[in-house]
Amino acid sequence: MESNHKSQGDQNDEMVIFSIISSSICSECGAELIKGRFLKMEKEKPLCLECADLDHLVYLQSGNAALTRRSKKYSNLSAVVMRFSRSRHRYERQGLLVESEALIRAEKECKGDEAARKISRERAAVVRELADKEYVRQFSVKIRMQYPGCPAQEAEAIADHACQKYSGRVGRSSGAKAFDANPSSRPKPL
Ligand SMILES: [Zn+2]
């Protein structure tokens, strides 16, 4: 057990800050630190963030993995915030202290991703709709090939009906599927 103690600290290079659960006093400036404040232990002595030269950092609560990862990446200096859970008898990660510029940059990037995801979702919906329309068109062509007397409009209506799903989205009912001789000719989504 004892031999593990040091290596555990070594493999984790992150600076740790505690969100305290009972009040403390900064050993350097004497400031009273109430429950919930941040504290750094340096050589067994509690320090407030000002005295630890970390008061320029901003707190980012855990919960958004991408934002956390990016904030940490862009921050020259960061610290993990831990708090002791009385019920679970262990320290638990609460969030991260990072430079505000890093957090702003990370937030911008995450927002950019969000916009890009929205665009690709919309694009996929358009492609699906085009693919459905094309499928109905091919289907009606096949109906007319099989029943040369069938008027174009009627063939299209039959095809449209056969391809309609309950959801309102065009799909392939079993009848329509059976009719589909060459599925690979269907347009593929981008
Ligand atoms: Zn202090």
mmCIF file of all heavy atoms in Angstrom, residues 64-88:
data_model
loop_
_atom_site.group_PDB
_atom_site.id
_atom_site.type_symbol
_atom_site.label_atom_id
_atom_site.label_comp_id
_atom_site.label_asym_id
_atom_site.label_seq_id
_atom_site.Cartn_x
_atom_site.Cartn_y
_atom_site.Cartn_z
ATOM 1 N N ASN A 64 -19.482 19.425 -19.341
ATOM 2 C CA ASN A 64 -19.342 19.530 -20.792
ATOM 3 C C ASN A 64 -17.937 19.052 -21.155
ATOM 4 O O ASN A 64 -16.965 19.789 -21.042
ATOM 5 C CB ASN A 64 -19.572 20.978 -21.229
ATOM 6 C CG ASN A 64 -19.556 21.138 -22.746
ATOM 7 O OD1 ASN A 64 -18.890 20.386 -23.450
ATOM 8 N ND2 ASN A 64 -20.283 22.119 -23.239
ATOM 9 N N ALA A 65 -17.849 17.805 -21.603
ATOM 10 C CA ALA A 65 -16.543 17.173 -21.833
ATOM 11 C C ALA A 65 -15.713 17.911 -22.877
ATOM 12 O O ALA A 65 -14.516 18.130 -22.690
ATOM 13 C CB ALA A 65 -16.735 15.720 -22.245
ATOM 14 N N ALA A 66 -16.367 18.314 -23.979
ATOM 15 C CA ALA A 66 -15.626 18.981 -25.057
ATOM 16 C C ALA A 66 -15.108 20.337 -24.591
ATOM 17 O O ALA A 66 -13.961 20.705 -24.859
ATOM 18 C CB ALA A 66 -16.522 19.152 -26.281
ATOM 19 N N LEU A 67 -15.951 21.063 -23.880
ATOM 20 C CA LEU A 67 -15.555 22.386 -23.385
ATOM 21 C C LEU A 67 -14.418 22.264 -22.378
ATOM 22 O O LEU A 67 -13.450 23.029 -22.406
ATOM 23 C CB LEU A 67 -16.773 23.071 -22.751
ATOM 24 C CG LEU A 67 -16.599 24.531 -22.330
ATOM 25 C CD1 LEU A 67 -16.247 25.411 -23.514
ATOM 26 C CD2 LEU A 67 -17.869 25.044 -21.655
ATOM 27 N N THR A 68 -14.502 21.276 -21.517
ATOM 28 C CA THR A 68 -13.459 21.041 -20.513
ATOM 29 C C THR A 68 -12.126 20.694 -21.185
ATOM 30 O O THR A 68 -11.085 21.258 -20.862
ATOM 31 C CB THR A 68 -13.881 19.891 -19.568
ATOM 32 O OG1 THR A 68 -15.056 20.305 -18.859
ATOM 33 C CG2 THR A 68 -12.799 19.552 -18.591
ATOM 34 N N ARG A 69 -12.206 19.772 -22.133
ATOM 35 C CA ARG A 69 -10.991 19.321 -22.811
ATOM 36 C C ARG A 69 -10.303 20.489 -23.525
ATOM 37 O O ARG A 69 -9.099 20.681 -23.436
ATOM 38 C CB ARG A 69 -11.353 18.209 -23.797
ATOM 39 C CG ARG A 69 -10.194 17.618 -24.561
ATOM 40 C CD ARG A 69 -10.637 16.410 -25.382
ATOM 41 N NE ARG A 69 -11.899 16.609 -26.076
ATOM 42 C CZ ARG A 69 -12.029 17.306 -27.196
ATOM 43 N NH1 ARG A 69 -10.980 17.858 -27.744
ATOM 44 N NH2 ARG A 69 -13.212 17.435 -27.770
ATOM 45 N N ARG A 70 -11.101 21.280 -24.224
ATOM 46 C CA ARG A 70 -10.519 22.390 -24.979
ATOM 47 C C ARG A 70 -9.997 23.493 -24.067
ATOM 48 O O ARG A 70 -8.942 24.059 -24.323
ATOM 49 C CB ARG A 70 -11.571 22.966 -25.934
ATOM 50 C CG ARG A 70 -11.773 22.074 -27.127
ATOM 51 C CD ARG A 70 -12.873 22.578 -28.013
ATOM 52 N NE ARG A 70 -12.817 21.942 -29.315
ATOM 53 C CZ ARG A 70 -13.885 21.709 -30.065
ATOM 54 N NH1 ARG A 70 -15.075 22.068 -29.643
ATOM 55 N NH2 ARG A 70 -13.760 21.135 -31.239
ATOM 56 N N SER A 71 -10.745 23.791 -23.023
ATOM 57 C CA SER A 71 -10.302 24.832 -22.088
ATOM 58 C C SER A 71 -8.947 24.469 -21.497
ATOM 59 O O SER A 71 -8.056 25.303 -21.374
ATOM 60 C CB SER A 71 -11.308 25.000 -20.949
ATOM 61 O OG SER A 71 -12.551 25.413 -21.446
ATOM 62 N N LYS A 72 -8.807 23.203 -21.167
ATOM 63 C CA LYS A 72 -7.557 22.750 -20.567
ATOM 64 C C LYS A 72 -6.419 22.837 -21.575
ATOM 65 O O LYS A 72 -5.299 23.221 -21.246
ATOM 66 C CB LYS A 72 -7.724 21.320 -20.065
ATOM 67 C CG LYS A 72 -6.606 20.903 -19.148
ATOM 68 C CD LYS A 72 -6.752 19.482 -18.694
ATOM 69 C CE LYS A 72 -5.481 19.104 -17.938
ATOM 70 N NZ LYS A 72 -5.435 17.688 -17.644
ATOM 71 N N LYS A 73 -6.743 22.474 -22.803
ATOM 72 C CA LYS A 73 -5.732 22.468 -23.864
ATOM 73 C C LYS A 73 -5.187 23.884 -24.102
ATOM 74 O O LYS A 73 -4.000 24.075 -24.301
ATOM 75 C CB LYS A 73 -6.358 21.914 -25.154
ATOM 76 C CG LYS A 73 -5.356 21.665 -26.275
ATOM 77 C CD LYS A 73 -5.988 20.916 -27.433
ATOM 78 C CE LYS A 73 -6.567 21.861 -28.462
ATOM 79 N NZ LYS A 73 -7.188 21.152 -29.594
ATOM 80 N N TYR A 74 -6.083 24.874 -24.066
ATOM 81 C CA TYR A 74 -5.666 26.241 -24.392
ATOM 82 C C TYR A 74 -5.150 27.020 -23.199
ATOM 83 O O TYR A 74 -4.682 28.140 -23.347
ATOM 84 C CB TYR A 74 -6.835 26.991 -25.036
ATOM 85 C CG TYR A 74 -7.286 26.394 -26.347
ATOM 86 C CD1 TYR A 74 -8.626 26.250 -26.656
ATOM 87 C CD2 TYR A 74 -6.332 25.958 -27.278
ATOM 88 C CE1 TYR A 74 -9.027 25.685 -27.855
ATOM 89 C CE2 TYR A 74 -6.733 25.390 -28.475
ATOM 90 C CZ TYR A 74 -8.074 25.261 -28.754
ATOM 91 O OH TYR A 74 -8.469 24.691 -29.940
ATOM 92 N N SER A 75 -5.263 26.443 -22.026
ATOM 93 C CA SER A 75 -4.837 27.155 -20.827
ATOM 94 C C SER A 75 -3.405 26.764 -20.468
ATOM 95 O O SER A 75 -3.082 25.589 -20.353
ATOM 96 C CB SER A 75 -5.779 26.805 -19.671
ATOM 97 O OG SER A 75 -5.713 27.796 -18.683
ATOM 98 N N ASN A 76 -2.538 27.781 -20.330
ATOM 99 C CA ASN A 76 -1.162 27.478 -19.941
ATOM 100 C C ASN A 76 -1.113 26.919 -18.528
ATOM 101 O O ASN A 76 -0.254 26.134 -18.181
ATOM 102 C CB ASN A 76 -0.312 28.742 -20.016
ATOM 103 C CG ASN A 76 -0.245 29.287 -21.428
ATOM 104 O OD1 ASN A 76 0.034 28.560 -22.377
ATOM 105 N ND2 ASN A 76 -0.534 30.567 -21.570
ATOM 106 N N LEU A 77 -2.057 27.388 -17.732
ATOM 107 C CA LEU A 77 -2.106 26.966 -16.348
ATOM 108 C C LEU A 77 -3.530 26.513 -16.028
ATOM 109 O O LEU A 77 -4.488 27.227 -16.338
ATOM 110 C CB LEU A 77 -1.733 28.158 -15.458
ATOM 111 C CG LEU A 77 -1.565 27.902 -13.966
ATOM 112 C CD1 LEU A 77 -0.390 26.977 -13.707
ATOM 113 C CD2 LEU A 77 -1.360 29.226 -13.244
ATOM 114 N N SER A 78 -3.655 25.345 -15.472
ATOM 115 C CA SER A 78 -4.994 24.887 -15.091
ATOM 116 C C SER A 78 -4.895 24.036 -13.832
ATOM 117 O O SER A 78 -3.823 23.539 -13.493
ATOM 118 C CB SER A 78 -5.640 24.092 -16.224
ATOM 119 O OG SER A 78 -4.937 22.886 -16.439
ATOM 120 N N ALA A 79 -6.004 23.926 -13.153
ATOM 121 C CA ALA A 79 -6.031 23.124 -11.928
ATOM 122 C C ALA A 79 -7.359 22.395 -11.823
ATOM 123 O O ALA A 79 -8.395 22.918 -12.211
ATOM 124 C CB ALA A 79 -5.835 24.017 -10.714
ATOM 125 N N VAL A 80 -7.291 21.183 -11.313
ATOM 126 C CA VAL A 80 -8.505 20.393 -11.109
ATOM 127 C C VAL A 80 -9.098 20.777 -9.755
ATOM 128 O O VAL A 80 -8.372 20.904 -8.779
ATOM 129 C CB VAL A 80 -8.175 18.886 -11.096
ATOM 130 C CG1 VAL A 80 -9.437 18.065 -10.902
ATOM 131 C CG2 VAL A 80 -7.481 18.503 -12.379
ATOM 132 N N VAL A 81 -10.398 20.981 -9.737
ATOM 133 C CA VAL A 81 -11.060 21.304 -8.465
ATOM 134 C C VAL A 81 -11.703 20.044 -7.890
ATOM 135 O O VAL A 81 -12.502 19.391 -8.554
ATOM 136 C CB VAL A 81 -12.117 22.412 -8.656
ATOM 137 C CG1 VAL A 81 -12.877 22.654 -7.350
ATOM 138 C CG2 VAL A 81 -11.451 23.699 -9.139
ATOM 139 N N MET A 82 -11.315 19.701 -6.673
ATOM 140 C CA MET A 82 -11.834 18.509 -6.013
ATOM 141 C C MET A 82 -12.584 18.911 -4.749
ATOM 142 O O MET A 82 -12.260 19.908 -4.116
ATOM 143 C CB MET A 82 -10.675 17.571 -5.610
ATOM 144 C CG MET A 82 -9.734 17.167 -6.718
ATOM 145 S SD MET A 82 -10.482 16.040 -7.888
ATOM 146 C CE MET A 82 -10.249 14.470 -7.044
ATOM 147 N N ARG A 83 -13.573 18.105 -4.423
ATOM 148 C CA ARG A 83 -14.273 18.332 -3.151
ATOM 149 C C ARG A 83 -14.515 16.997 -2.491
ATOM 150 O O ARG A 83 -14.819 16.009 -3.158
ATOM 151 C CB ARG A 83 -15.592 19.065 -3.379
ATOM 152 C CG ARG A 83 -16.286 19.420 -2.053
ATOM 153 C CD ARG A 83 -17.437 20.379 -2.234
ATOM 154 N NE ARG A 83 -18.449 19.818 -3.102
ATOM 155 C CZ ARG A 83 -19.247 20.553 -3.887
ATOM 156 N NH1 ARG A 83 -19.117 21.865 -3.929
ATOM 157 N NH2 ARG A 83 -20.141 19.983 -4.644
ATOM 158 N N PHE A 84 -14.386 16.995 -1.189
ATOM 159 C CA PHE A 84 -14.591 15.745 -0.459
ATOM 160 C C PHE A 84 -16.076 15.472 -0.292
ATOM 161 O O PHE A 84 -16.837 16.342 0.129
ATOM 162 C CB PHE A 84 -13.907 15.807 0.905
ATOM 163 C CG PHE A 84 -13.885 14.475 1.599
ATOM 164 C CD1 PHE A 84 -13.010 13.477 1.175
ATOM 165 C CD2 PHE A 84 -14.735 14.201 2.651
ATOM 166 C CE1 PHE A 84 -12.992 12.236 1.794
ATOM 167 C CE2 PHE A 84 -14.727 12.965 3.275
ATOM 168 C CZ PHE A 84 -13.850 11.980 2.845
ATOM 169 N N SER A 85 -16.470 14.260 -0.659
ATOM 170 C CA SER A 85 -17.852 13.849 -0.457
ATOM 171 C C SER A 85 -17.935 13.073 0.848
ATOM 172 O O SER A 85 -17.316 12.015 0.989
ATOM 173 C CB SER A 85 -18.309 12.969 -1.632
ATOM 174 O OG SER A 85 -19.474 12.261 -1.257
ATOM 175 N N ARG A 86 -18.669 13.629 1.795
ATOM 176 C CA ARG A 86 -18.792 12.948 3.094
ATOM 177 C C ARG A 86 -19.506 11.620 2.949
ATOM 178 O O ARG A 86 -19.158 10.638 3.600
ATOM 179 C CB ARG A 86 -19.580 13.822 4.068
ATOM 180 C CG ARG A 86 -18.846 15.055 4.526
ATOM 181 C CD ARG A 86 -19.660 15.722 5.637
ATOM 182 N NE ARG A 86 -19.343 17.139 5.794
ATOM 183 C CZ ARG A 86 -18.360 17.594 6.554
ATOM 184 N NH1 ARG A 86 -17.589 16.751 7.198
ATOM 185 N NH2 ARG A 86 -18.151 18.891 6.665
ATOM 186 N N SER A 87 -20.518 11.585 2.071
ATOM 187 C CA SER A 87 -21.297 10.355 1.942
ATOM 188 C C SER A 87 -20.500 9.248 1.265
ATOM 189 O O SER A 87 -20.629 8.078 1.605
ATOM 190 C CB SER A 87 -22.591 10.628 1.181
ATOM 191 O OG SER A 87 -22.299 11.183 -0.081
ATOM 192 N N ARG A 88 -19.660 9.622 0.313
ATOM 193 C CA ARG A 88 -18.899 8.583 -0.394
ATOM 194 C C ARG A 88 -17.457 8.457 0.096
ATOM 195 O O ARG A 88 -16.698 7.642 -0.413
ATOM 196 C CB ARG A 88 -18.942 8.851 -1.904
ATOM 197 C CG ARG A 88 -20.298 8.469 -2.499
ATOM 198 C CD ARG A 88 -20.321 8.605 -4.000
ATOM 199 N NE ARG A 88 -20.433 10.000 -4.425
ATOM 200 C CZ ARG A 88 -21.611 10.622 -4.597
ATOM 201 N NH1 ARG A 88 -22.728 9.978 -4.420
ATOM 202 N NH2 ARG A 88 -21.648 11.883 -4.956
#
